[in-house]
Amino acid sequence: MKAITLQQYGGPEDLELTELATPKVAPGEVLVRVKAAGVNPADWKVAAGYLDEVMEAHFPFIPGWEVSGVVEARGFDATEFEVGDEVVGYICKDWAQNGGYAELVSAPVRTLARKPESLNWLQAAGLPLAGLTAYQAIQRLGIGRGDTVLIHAASGGVGSFGVQIAVARGARVIGTAGEHNHDYLRGLGAEPVTYGDSLSDRVRELAPDGVDAALDFFGGDAVAVSQELLKNPKRVASIVDTTVTEKGGHHVWARPSSDDLGVLCALADSGKLSVTVDRTFPLAEAADAWRAIQEGHTRGKIVLDVDAS
């Protein structure tokens, strides 16, 4: 199979398109022929060695944790899926090695769900990791009907899902974004505000009594600004700022969950959750996809087209 690999920790310039053997399929796993693979900031951060202290990495290393594709073979006792089933997955294992930037990937069944019929291959590949990150952060804070929620970086890959999921649960959403993305956020159901200096003043204009919960999908001073606005300063979650727990909040790292992923797929098929694909790249141009996502101005998701045609 063809796969994008790294021989050691590195950046976009170190990615190589190589030929590798078909992955082994362990008990409780299936072999997925990949149609498309989502690209996320976590991909290049893991590849750069930022998580070396907490996650084993084995080389050659194939990046990528979210895919859409078709089940090609089953391991022992992998009874949840049949050969030919169309699936999506956040295929994160306990170590980093055999990811989704490849024509084939072995994936534990606990990381997969059936692909939403309403999404094409490219859209479906952009759902699992970013969607689970947003969903599990919202779950952690217990966001629901009647809450006013502040979402930082609301137009990005995770943020756009956070807006839609919170709205689907009956919350009012105020989302930060550049002015060029304000109409986009309105279309998702959020009230946009421009990020930057004096953000808290602009949020207060919309919510004079403050907000009930805050989701930091950006970093920087987002947690500090959120806690100025929160009625309960502990009701903040960040996927970027690991010091948030020291301030009484929650640090969220998405966990694979077939059940949670099934909820997201159901929301998509009900018309309450859409996936915006900002740009696509062929597998061989994964390095350009990384450079694009590192620029930090993506609206929605960047996806690798492995065989989506």
Side-chain angles (χ1 to χ4, degrees):
M1 69 169 187
K2 290 183 173 63
I4 294 293
T5 61
L6 285 142
Q7 300 302 319
Q8 59 187 9
Y9 285 136
E13 66 280 0
D14 300 302
L15 296 177
E16 299 176 334
L17 182 64
T18 57
E19 288 279 348
L20 294 176
T22 297
K24 296 179 181 179
V25 186
E29 293 187 345
V30 297
L31 184 68
V32 177
R33 181 160 294 278
V34 178
K35 291 292 187 178
V39 179
N40 297 280
D43 299 348
W44 67 262
K45 291 178 181 179
V46 171
Y50 290 174
L51 295 182
D52 185 66
E53 292 185 0
V54 297
M55 178 177 287
E56 295 285 344
H58 303 280
F59 298 93
F61 164 56
I62 305 171
W65 280 342
E66 61 178 358
V67 299
S68 63
V70 180
V71 174
E72 186 149 306
R74 300 192 304 176
F76 300 138
D77 200 32
T79 58
E80 288 86 347
F81 299 99
E82 301 288 342
V83 172
D85 281 349
E86 298 181 350
V87 295
V88 294
Y90 169 39
I91 55 170
C92 178
K93 299 183 181 180
D94 296 330
W95 69 96
Q97 183 176 22
N98 297 317
Y101 292 12
E103 293 178 326
L104 293 163
V105 65
S106 59
V109 294
R110 62 180 173 81
T111 69
L112 301 172
R114 283 173 173 76
K115 172 186 167 291
E117 294 181 1
S118 60
L119 302 182
N120 63 33
W121 292 115
L122 297 169
Q123 293 167 329
L127 174 64
L129 174 50
L132 284 172
T133 300
Y135 178 75
Q136 291 172 0
I138 286 170
Q139 285 282 91
R140 187 77 62 87
L141 296 183
I143 292 170
R145 186 167 301 281
D147 281 332
T148 297
V149 184
L150 174 62
I151 298 181
H152 298 270
S155 64
V158 178
S160 59
F161 288 126
V163 169
Q164 295 176 84
I165 295 165
V167 168
R169 292 166 73 110
R172 175 194 180 193
V173 177
I174 299 171
T176 74
E179 291 186 8
H180 62 287
N181 279 321
H182 283 195
D183 285 343
Y184 171 65
L185 286 186
R186 291 187 185 98
L188 297 180
E191 299 169 53
V193 293
T194 305
Y195 55 76
D197 294 341
S198 303
L199 171 61
S200 59
D201 293 337
R202 290 189 292 278
V203 174
R204 289 279 184 192
E205 291 177 4
L206 295 174
D209 295 329
V211 298
D212 299 294
L215 298 168
D216 168 27
F217 301 142
F218 180 75
D221 63 353
V223 170
V225 172
S226 296
Q227 290 186 313
E228 292 176 11
L229 293 161
L230 281 165
K231 300 170 186 176
N232 177 357
K234 294 183 179 181
R235 208 170 174 209
V236 57
S238 177
I239 66 170
V240 184
D241 186 350
T242 57
T243 69
V244 66
T245 55
E246 300 168 13
K247 302 166 186 174
H250 305 264
H251 182 240
V252 176
W253 178 269
R255 299 180 183 181
S257 168
S258 290
D259 290 342
D260 288 354
L261 191 51
V263 171
L264 296 175
C265 292
L267 282 173
D269 278 339
S270 71
K272 296 179 181 179
L273 186 66
S274 62
V275 181
T276 299
V277 176
D278 185 279
R279 277 174 282 180
T280 64
F281 295 82
L283 181 64
E285 296 177 14
D288 289 334
W290 276 18
R291 293 184 184 102
I293 205 166
Q294 286 174 344
E295 292 174 359
H297 301 295
T298 302
R299 174 189 290 183
K301 292 302 299 283
I302 290 176
V303 178
L304 296 179
D305 183 343
V306 181
D307 184 22
S309 57

